[in-house]
Amino acid sequence: MNKIEELKLQRVAFSADEDVIRRGIIEKATEVGCHSAYQLDNGKGIVGKFSISNYGEVNKDVKDALLKFACEKSGIKTPETKADVMEAFDNSVFNSVFNSIQKDVILGIIARVQSPQIMAMANIETVDLGDSYTWEIDSKGLPVAQRASYMSNVTIDQTSGMKSITVTPKVYSLGVTMDFTRILANDYDFGKQIAKVALGMLYAQHKLIVGLVFDTTKTPLYQATFDQLKYVTMADDIKALNGGAEVTAYATKVALSKLGASISTNGFLLKDEFIKEGYIGSPYGVPTVMIDQATDFSAPLVGGEIASRLVPNDKMVMLSGVGDKPVKLVRENYIRIIQQDNISGATNKLRYSYFMAFDAGLATQQHFGIQAV
């Protein structure tokens, strides 16, 4: 074997080792990001539960490993002093490597920590950069059996219609800054920083889903006022329209409490459940699932209440437990990160802009209903 072939084999082996290290960093960084996302969400409903016991230790190891890996890839020494860290973040190759790993970590967090309550309303499809996704919605109508004779013609011919619904992701962006002094001191919380970006994107996606499924103009099955018989009838109709799949009502605790207040006078057991839980679990035989309220903190408190709520408190959405969810969320498998010029002066910060494309649309054979409370 000549020297050129040996060098080629060494380069291949080195690249394979690099890939293993990179994937290991991404995996651990995603775990600390998921942990931080759940802690930041604090059970408010944007993300599902995720926790690691030794967060502080793993978070520090991730920061150190990422810093070392990005330095090695950019041909500079591993930082030992604050000046070394400053030099690293002034290196364009270092930033490119650092940000490429950030991108993969954010995508990993978004994929792992979806809220099970919100996802009961939507299916998710991931597409390549610049692509869209199309659903073919078939007619659910059955051919009508007509009274006839062997000598007569069929008077009604049933047609089967297909409708194409395409959802094309649209670009959303958010910007964050990081104190350079924290980076130099290496005491910033990497998991928390990265989790905030993921939560911001997730909140925007969930807002699209909730906005569609709670929109009373999107379904003919809507009751503006509560009536016990009409409520049960609507649930039974939805069950029949969806092939016999059981119906569940999804709503916030406030909405369920409004409904419970109107029916808790029907007996001591109901009143006891209402006082203890704040709502009735299965009013009139229709099971309920409580959706935790969430906010992006984008608006101040108004009258002692949150002004920027994710889920409306005056409606319940009634869904069948089928795989075909009403809303389809389509998102690209890519996040673009642009690092802006540092802000110099009294406060020295790193500025990052994040771009991700996603959108949602109603594309389903499932029927769903909305009950106002």
Side-chain angles (χ1 to χ4, degrees):
M1 182 182 296
N2 59 40
K3 288 290 185 182
I4 295 177
E5 290 176 338
E6 287 181 4
L7 288 172
K8 287 182 178 179
L9 287 175
Q10 289 174 5
R11 194 176 297 116
V12 170
F14 183 68
S15 297
D17 290 341
E18 281 186 336
D19 187 56
V20 171
I21 294 171
R22 176 188 171 86
R23 283 189 279 112
I25 293 172
I26 291 171
E27 177 64 26
K28 287 299 181 182
T30 303
E31 288 181 5
V32 298
C34 290
H35 173 94
S36 287
Y38 181 69
Q39 296 300 316
L40 287 167
D41 183 51
N42 197 26
K44 294 190 292 293
I46 299 179
V47 305
K49 186 175 181 179
F50 194 102
S51 179
I52 54 177
S53 57
N54 56 338
Y55 173 79
E57 178 184 344
V58 177
N59 191 35
K60 183 181 183 305
D61 290 344
V62 164
K63 285 192 299 180
D64 293 342
L66 175 55
L67 195 64
K68 181 180 178 181
F69 180 77
C71 285
E72 290 177 350
K73 287 289 289 179
S74 55
I76 58 179
K77 67 177 183 178
T78 302
E80 297 177 356
T81 66
K82 293 180 180 180
D84 292 338
V85 176
M86 177 77 79
E87 181 182 350
F89 277 92
D90 282 339
N91 185 292
S92 60
V93 179
F94 172 90
N95 286 321
S96 178
V97 176
F98 189 89
N99 292 339
S100 71
I101 291 178
Q102 272 201 78
K103 167 183 68 68
D104 289 339
V105 172
I106 294 169
L107 288 172
I109 296 170
I110 290 174
R112 287 195 190 187
V113 296
Q114 294 290 355
S115 164
Q117 301 160 342
I118 299 295
M119 287 304 103
M121 307 172 189
N123 298 118
I124 300 176
E125 294 293 342
T126 303
V127 298
D128 287 333
L129 192 67
D131 287 352
S132 59
Y133 202 95
T134 300
W135 284 264
E136 298 289 341
I137 309 300
D138 196 3
S139 170
K140 293 175 69 173
L142 298 177
V144 178
Q146 308 145 50
R147 182 69 177 89
S149 68
Y150 290 116
M151 302 302 293
S152 63
N153 294 323
V154 175
T155 56
I156 302 176
D157 292 321
Q158 185 74 17
T159 59
S160 180
M162 298 284 288
K163 182 178 181 180
S164 297
I165 298 177
T166 299
V167 178
T168 302
K170 298 177 178 62
V171 177
Y172 287 76
S173 66
L174 56 84
V176 299
T177 62
M178 292 175 61
D179 287 330
F180 215 91
T181 53
R182 296 298 180 199
I183 295 174
L184 293 177
N186 200 28
D187 65 352
Y188 70 99
D189 192 331
F190 175 81
K192 187 176 181 179
Q193 287 290 141
I194 213 78
K196 284 184 174 181
V197 176
L199 282 176
M201 293 297 185
L202 272 175
Y203 189 91
Q205 294 171 21
H206 289 178
K207 192 173 182 179
L208 290 173
I209 294 169
V210 170
L212 285 169
V213 82
F214 280 89
D215 187 347
T216 57
T217 66
K218 303 299 183 183
T219 174
L221 300 167
Y222 168 59
Q223 296 293 336
T225 57
F226 182 78
D227 176 84
Q228 177 261 326
L229 183 58
K230 290 182 179 179
Y231 179 73
V232 175
T233 300
M234 181 164 65
D236 202 49
D237 287 347
I238 293 170
K239 179 178 179 179
L241 289 167
N242 292 326
E246 292 297 331
V247 175
T248 301
Y250 292 80
T252 64
K253 190 171 186 176
V254 174
L256 293 175
S257 182
K258 289 179 180 178
L259 175 63
S262 65
I263 63 177
S264 60
T265 57
N266 291 345
F268 288 109
L269 289 177
L270 284 177
K271 184 177 291 186
D272 183 61
E273 181 182 357
F274 180 69
I275 293 173
K276 182 179 178 180
E277 302 294 338
Y279 63 96
I280 308 299
S282 297
Y284 303 113
V286 181
T288 59
V289 171
M290 187 181 73
I291 303 174
D292 291 320
Q293 189 60 269
T295 179
D296 61 356
F297 304 96
S298 62
L301 297 178
V302 177
E305 296 184 358
I306 298 173
S308 57
R309 296 189 183 98
L310 176 65
V311 188
N313 280 334
D314 58 353
K315 298 183 185 75
M316 302 168 60
V317 63
M318 305 177 75
L319 301 170
S320 291
V322 296
D324 180 26
K325 306 298 190 298
V327 179
K328 301 298 187 289
L329 176 70
V330 180
R331 60 192 182 198
E332 290 182 351
N333 58 358
Y334 183 79
I335 289 180
R336 187 184 183 197
I337 303 175
I338 297 178
Q339 183 176 332
Q340 310 288 345
D341 292 336
N342 296 346
I343 305 174
S344 300
T347 57
N348 198 338
K349 299 177 182 290
L350 284 179
R351 302 168 62 196
Y352 290 96
S353 296
Y354 300 85
F355 301 83
M356 185 179 186
F358 50 84
D359 201 8
L362 283 176
T364 182
Q365 281 191 319
Q366 180 179 173
H367 290 77
F368 65 97
I370 299 174
Q371 172 65 62
V373 291

